[in-house]
Amino acid sequence: MDAGEKIKHVLERAGEEGVLQSEISSLTGLSKSTVSETLSGLEDAKEIVRKKVSGKSYRVWLVKYSPEPVRGVARIGILRASEYPRVVKASKKQNSYMRVYESSIEITKDLVHGVIDIAASPFITQAFFGILMKNITIVRKVALNGGGLVFSNSEAEYWGCSEFSTMERNLRKYFDLRGIKGRIRYFRSPENMIRSLAELRAIAIWEPYFTILEGRKELFSEQVGDYLCCTLAVNNSFAECNPDLLENFLKDFDRARVRKSDGEAVAELIGFPAEIVARSFENYDFYPEQEFKREELEELRFGRLEGVIRLD
């Protein structure tokens, strides 16, 4: 393992905390001069970033873990879902760093905190964080539809769902339409939810999990109509730092057309068979009208304050 690989290995283990440059020599067994020279090369290649923290002291991160935007670099997050062939195509054209998340809350939180620069996550989650933190901007719709209900043979009162997500929103709509007074059990990962299916009435799950699962299934689009799932949002600091890079990324996203063969690139990222991912594409509309409709915006009315604040 050469000097650069040794240093990157240490920085990978450190993740978002980074490492003081003064500590790298002892952690790698390299001389201080070798560390300094190697870091300069890695910095020029945009593989690492250094930031002065006090006096002559610097903290070092891999670019993908940088605590702030890096000029000329885009870090893009997606959920473990098959909704993102256009995002993946645009990312590859811009040589972006890609990161896959299990949770809509975690990916959007990382966008707000600047851990990633662009995120594809549920519209409702991005809107809530955007209103609360005021440092992200929703720039594109990603796709419509792409999820549904998978039923067990149980008559249990609980239904499984990911929290604060499009699936939860659709499940509550389904309850209203059917007059069901169901109770929701939340899961942090789809795998845990699937393992618990026998204990639940049904689970609200997205693609490609929906395609893989067997048994009685109902697409949400057939029950509640077309719905906006994920949107693309950008951290405002990244947009200020890299306006041209953002513009080029969005142009590539707009031009991208989805083919079954694109299932391979998405499958490689999210860890599913390419055939399953390609088949799941059929349950999406990848080319939604980008202008927001009144009913889509009305979904963001979180209720009147009188209904959530107790005034004694």
Side-chain angles (χ1 to χ4, degrees):
M1 188 182 296
D2 65 20
E5 292 303 315
K6 285 183 178 180
I7 292 174
K8 287 191 287 185
H9 180 70
V10 166
L11 294 177
E12 179 65 48
R13 290 173 57 188
E16 292 161 16
E17 292 186 6
V19 178
L20 286 173
Q21 182 170 334
S22 58
E23 297 175 343
I24 293 177
S25 181
S26 62
L27 291 171
T28 60
L30 301 170
S31 68
K32 290 184 178 181
S33 60
T34 298
V35 168
S36 179
E37 181 180 346
T38 305
L39 287 178
S40 294
L42 292 173
E43 196 169 28
D44 290 341
K46 295 190 181 298
E47 293 189 59
I48 62 102
V49 293
R50 285 188 281 190
K51 185 177 181 181
K52 183 181 288 188
V53 290
S54 63
K56 296 182 179 180
S57 181
Y58 286 82
R59 187 166 288 274
V60 187
W61 295 264
L62 288 176
V63 162
K64 63 181 178 179
Y65 296 126
S66 172
E68 56 190 32
V70 180
R71 192 170 298 281
V73 174
R75 300 166 301 166
I76 298 169
I78 61 172
L79 288 171
R80 194 174 302 282
S82 52
E83 188 171 350
Y84 310 115
R86 298 177 75 193
V87 179
V88 172
K89 279 189 164 186
S91 299
K92 286 181 177 294
K93 286 209 171 187
Q94 299 300 322
N95 294 317
S96 307
Y97 287 91
M98 294 287 294
R99 188 168 176 178
V100 178
Y101 289 79
E102 303 287 344
S103 161
S104 61
I105 293 178
E106 289 304 313
I107 184 175
T108 313
K109 184 175 69 175
D110 275 2
L111 178 67
V112 165
H113 291 164
V115 177
I116 53 177
D117 306 308
I118 301 171
S121 59
F123 173 47
I124 193 167
T125 318
Q126 291 183 353
F128 180 83
F129 274 88
I131 291 168
L132 184 66
M133 304 302 292
K134 296 179 171 49
N135 69 340
I136 65 173
T137 302
I138 296 171
V139 292
R140 288 292 189 279
K141 296 179 184 179
V142 174
L144 303 181
N145 308 328
L149 290 168
V150 178
F151 290 84
S152 70
N153 294 320
S154 169
E155 294 298 319
E157 64 176 328
Y158 278 95
W159 302 59
C161 190
S162 54
E163 67 178 330
F164 206 56
S165 65
T166 304
M167 295 300 103
E168 179 184 2
R169 181 183 62 182
N170 285 342
L171 180 56
R172 293 187 181 278
K173 284 184 179 180
Y174 183 86
F175 286 169
D176 289 341
L177 288 170
R178 296 298 181 91
I180 296 172
K181 294 185 178 179
R183 301 180 67 182
I184 297 177
R185 181 178 165 194
Y186 294 104
F187 292 84
R188 292 187 176 182
S189 77
E191 287 79 11
N192 286 343
M193 183 161 55
I194 291 167
R195 281 193 288 269
S196 300
L197 178 56
E199 309 165 20
L200 304 164
R201 182 73 169 273
I203 58 175
I205 196 81
W206 55 93
E207 294 287 9
Y209 299 98
F210 184 84
T211 290
I212 289 174
L213 293 171
E214 297 180 352
R216 180 189 160 202
K217 298 190 285 189
E218 294 181 15
L219 285 166
F220 275 131
S221 57
E222 295 175 351
Q223 305 301 320
V224 303
D226 288 337
Y227 58 90
L228 175 59
C229 188
C230 286
T231 44
L232 269 178
V234 59
N235 182 287
N236 294 342
S237 294
F238 169 79
E240 293 171 6
C241 177
N242 288 295
D244 293 340
L245 180 54
L246 174 60
E247 189 65 25
N248 288 335
F249 174 84
L250 293 177
K251 285 180 180 177
D252 287 332
F253 174 84
D254 292 339
R255 285 193 290 255
R257 289 295 174 263
V258 179
R259 300 175 178 83
K260 282 194 173 183
S261 58
D262 296 323
E264 294 184 8
V266 177
E268 184 179 354
L269 273 173
I270 66 175
F272 281 84
E275 179 186 352
I276 295 295
V277 173
R279 194 174 356 138
S280 74
F281 285 172
E282 297 173 8
N283 288 330
Y284 290 104
D285 175 358
F286 288 113
Y287 311 107
E289 170 59 48
Q290 287 297 328
E291 184 177 352
F292 281 92
K293 299 176 183 177
R294 179 180 295 277
E295 55 267 28
E296 291 170 332
L297 299 177
E298 285 177 348
E299 296 252 3
L300 304 181
R301 294 180 180 176
F302 297 107
R304 304 177 72 176
L305 288 178
E306 300 96 291
V308 296
I309 298 176
R310 175 175 173 174
L311 299 175
D312 293 325

